[in-house]
């Protein structure tokens, strides 16, 4: 659907449309949009039933034909009666923002606000602002925030912007610019980042030429002008020399990435190192989904999917927003639950992308701890659903497995928290898009659950029950899965002294060795004094492929709290190492165990 629209595009001239009043833009009253169905609404509380109410990450359409539902017909939507789109596009110099903006404006009729263009207009008109800005621009530096921010805010307040929607290009470029918009409640529906390797960017800048008559962007090698006449009037931007581009790139790296955390929940990275039409196809599809969601008032639903897409390229370290506060208050808010789902999602995706196949997610916050409250199993299921839908979204066939009865009787050998969880999985809302039964299947744990077409296995809290050890079944399953990823979510595979039956088929050492063969792709634990659940003293966090980070919780005079990193570790730290770090002792110093963090002994 997106491809056909691209071929209809006429040469764009919108990058400079705001500067050249005579340039026509397509009226926004009629848009060609896909009729993909509305996404389900988001769960609003953490109760078992509500948290299982609807999925949050599934593409509106699947990629391969056999999994497609009949392709929806194009639908004409009267845009004037609808909520206009608000889009931010970001990326390094010459990543193609302006080129994509031309195409977006052409199709969606948004008002394109490019801070670079606004500043260049001021420079060429010789205004006071222009005189100040020129010096910075010529040196590849950012123009001071107050100048740019005022310009943008004043443009955003104009009537045409409110009516048609906006496409903000090159702003915000720093955390303070982002905060200026946040303060006045201006937030995009989607934040697109174009990713292009540095070496390509320099080539793109140096070869760029602009047509002052139409505003169209050319490139001597990639998009040469169509006629001699156009060629003769092309101009080169004064900051497009090799030397200045390098300095602009440095400036971009220092600032732009730092603005990302503000928009983490809306951020979509797009590979900008492809033909411009292909890039636009992806952006177009995203905008259509966002447009539908905005007008169906369920944008929250698709945020998960946007962040899902962050998986491949984003360094979640760069984009991480810090640990949420007030984690002892349960039920947690939807925002906090989603924060953890996406944190887990990014780390797991990265590990799977890196072809890691024996993975473990350990997340222990009150909201996800069924041992404290059996109803929290609902939140765990919601996490599993987020993971499963995200992989399914990428065209993978996911088997979600929960261990069944391991002895005589329906619940024999089954940990209490898992009783009924298979049923919950079966009845969960897996979306209107037919994912369950095609991309997502529910199963148990064991070799016979492994089907040839399965791509990935997510095992819900596999654990040993007294007298019944899950390890043999698990081992048989992972053997059958071969190189395919098996992800254990909150496993408890600690050896049980009183175990019997099938457990005897493998020796204790072997069992422990096998359990240890799963590597953490995500770990988050709150730290308390041993035997207590209050107050939270700190947290231990690891997201693949980074180190374990130890945080201390600090109460601020304002009454707020924050988490401060006090140490990092290449491997999961022991209780002693954590104690040492909290007490400011040097690493590896001999000490007696104080038992402060005794809970750690319970980790696998
Ligand atoms: P600005 O004008 O925003 O420059 P920029 O961010 O450096 O981005 P560019 O305009 O150079 O590149 P682009 O991503 O739009 O790429 P384009 O589509 O043209 O800002 C200029 C200066 O203003 C800044 O340095 C700063 O001083 C100041 N400024 C701006 N905003 C500010 C802010 N918020 N705060 C403070 N200061 C601010 O494409 C580049 C070339 O590649 C073209 O030749 C194009 O034809 C080609 N190309 C595009 N796509 C492709 C593709 N897919 N394949 C091959 N070639 C392609």
């Amino acid at each position: 659907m997106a491809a056909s629209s691209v071929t209809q595009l006429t040469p764009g001239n919108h990058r400079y449309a705001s500067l050249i009043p005579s340039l026509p833009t397509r009226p926004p009253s009629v848009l060609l949009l896909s009729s993909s169905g509305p996404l389900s609404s988001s769960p609003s509380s953490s109760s078992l039933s509500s948290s299982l109410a609807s999925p949050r990450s599934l593409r509106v359409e699947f990629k391969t034909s056999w999994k497609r539902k009949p392709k929806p017909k194009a639908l004409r939507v009267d845009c004037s009666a609808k909520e206009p789109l608000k889009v931010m596009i970001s990326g390094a110099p010459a990543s193609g923002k302006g080129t994509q903006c031309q195409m977006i404006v052409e199709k969606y009729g948004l008002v394109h606000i490019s801070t670079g263009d606004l500043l260049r207009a001021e420079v060429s008109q010789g205004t006071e602002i222009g005189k100040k800005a020129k010096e910075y621009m010529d040196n590849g530096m950012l123009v001071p925030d107050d100048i740019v921010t005022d310009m943008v805010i004043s443009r955003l307040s104009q009537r045409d912007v409110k009516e048609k929607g906006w496409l903000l290009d090159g702003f915000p470029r720093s955390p303070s610019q982002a905060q200026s918009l946040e303060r006045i409640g201006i937030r995009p529906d989607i934040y697109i980042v174009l990713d292009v390797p540095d070496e390509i960017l320099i080539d793109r800048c140096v070869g760029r030429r602009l047509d002052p008559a139409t505003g169209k962007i050319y490139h001597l090698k990639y998009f040469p002008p169509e006629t001699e006449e156009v060629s003769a009037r092309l101009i080169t931007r004064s900051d497009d020399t090799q030397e200045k581009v390098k300095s602009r790139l440095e400036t971009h790296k220092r600032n732009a990435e730092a603005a990302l955390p503000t928009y983490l929940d809306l951020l979509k990275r797009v590979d900008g190192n492809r033909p411009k039409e292909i890039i636009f196809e992806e952006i177009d599809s995203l905008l259509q989904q966002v447009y539908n969601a905005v007008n169906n008032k369920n944008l929250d639903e698709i945020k998960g999917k946007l962040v899902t897409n962050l998986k491949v390229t984003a360094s979640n370290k760069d984009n991480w927003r810090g640990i949420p506060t007030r984690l002892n208050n349960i039920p947690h808010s939807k925002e906090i639950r989603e924060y953890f789902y996406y944190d887990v999602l990014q780390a797991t995706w990265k590990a799977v992308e890196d072809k890691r196949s024996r993975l473990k997610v350990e997340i222990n916050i009150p909201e996800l701890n069924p041992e404290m409250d059996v109803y929290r199993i609902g939140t765990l299921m919601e996490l599993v659903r987020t993971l499963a839908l995200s992989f399914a979204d990428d065209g993978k066939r996911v088997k979600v497995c929960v261990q069944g009865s391991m002895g005589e009787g329906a619940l024999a050998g089954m940990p209490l928290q898992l009783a009924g969880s298979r049923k919950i999985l079966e009845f969960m809302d897996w979306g209107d898009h037919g994912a369950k039964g095609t991309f997502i299947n529910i199963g148990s744990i064991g070799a016979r659950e492994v089907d040839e077409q399965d791509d990935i296995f997510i095992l819900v809290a596999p654990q040993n029950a007294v007298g019944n050890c899950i390890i043999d079944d698990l081992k048989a399953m992972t053997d059958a899965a071969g190189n395919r990823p098996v992800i254990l979510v909150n496993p408890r595979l600690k050896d049980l002294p009183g175990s019997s039956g099938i457990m005897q088929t493998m020796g204790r050492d072997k069992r422990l060795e096998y359990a240890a063969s799963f590597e953490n792709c995500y770990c988050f634990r709150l730290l308390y004094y041993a035997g207590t659940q209050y107050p939270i003293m700190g947290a231990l966090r690891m997201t693949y492929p980074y180190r374990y980070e130890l945080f201390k919780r600090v109460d601020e005079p304002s009454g707020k709290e924050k988490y401060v990193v006090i140490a990092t570790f290449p491997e999961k730290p022991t209780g002693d190492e954590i104690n040492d770090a909290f007490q400011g002792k040097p690493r590896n110093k001999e000490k007696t165990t104080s038992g402060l963090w005794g809970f750690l002994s319970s980790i696998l």
Side-chain angles (χ1 to χ4, degrees), residues 528-531 574-583 585 589-600:
Y528 307 91
Y529 281 105
T574 62
D576 282 349
E577 286 172 318
I578 291 178
N579 280 327
D580 285 349
F582 266 81
Q583 290 166 19
K585 291 188 184 166
K589 198 180 162 199
E590 282 291 316
K591 69 179 287 297
T592 51
T593 306
S594 68
L596 268 182
W597 320 108
F599 66 88
L600 268 178

Side-chain angles (χ1 to χ4, degrees), residues 455-466:
D455 294 314
I456 194 161
F457 303 87
I458 300 177
L459 276 48
V460 186
Q463 49 192 300
N464 295 315
V466 176

Side-chain angles (χ1 to χ4, degrees), residues 12-26 211-216:
N13 48 23
H14 301 282
R15 185 131 214 232
Y16 295 87
S18 54
L19 311 179
I20 309 170
S22 59
L23 291 177
T25 52
R26 178 193 279 195
D211 184 346
T214 64
K216 198 174 169 192

Side-chain angles (χ1 to χ4, degrees), residues 328 525-530 532-540 550-555 561-564 566 578-579 582 596-597 599:
N328 255 357
R525 295 188 78 85
L526 289 173
L527 304 177
Y528 307 91
Y529 281 105
T532 71
Q533 297 287 332
Y534 182 86
I536 297 171
M537 301 302 294
L540 181 67
L550 181 61
F551 294 84
K552 184 176 183 176
R553 194 184 67 82
V554 179
D555 287 312
E561 58 177 10
K562 67 177 178 185
Y563 287 82
V564 183
I566 54 172
I578 291 178
N579 280 327
F582 266 81
L596 268 182
W597 320 108
F599 66 88

Side-chain angles (χ1 to χ4, degrees), residues 94 98-99 115 120 141 173 177 208 218 237 248 274:
T99 303
T115 40
R120 276 186 289 277
M141 292 159 66
R173 265 183 218 223
Q177 291 182 2
R208 171 169 43 198
Y218 291 92
R237 252 167 65 171
R248 282 161 59 199
R274 295 175 293 171

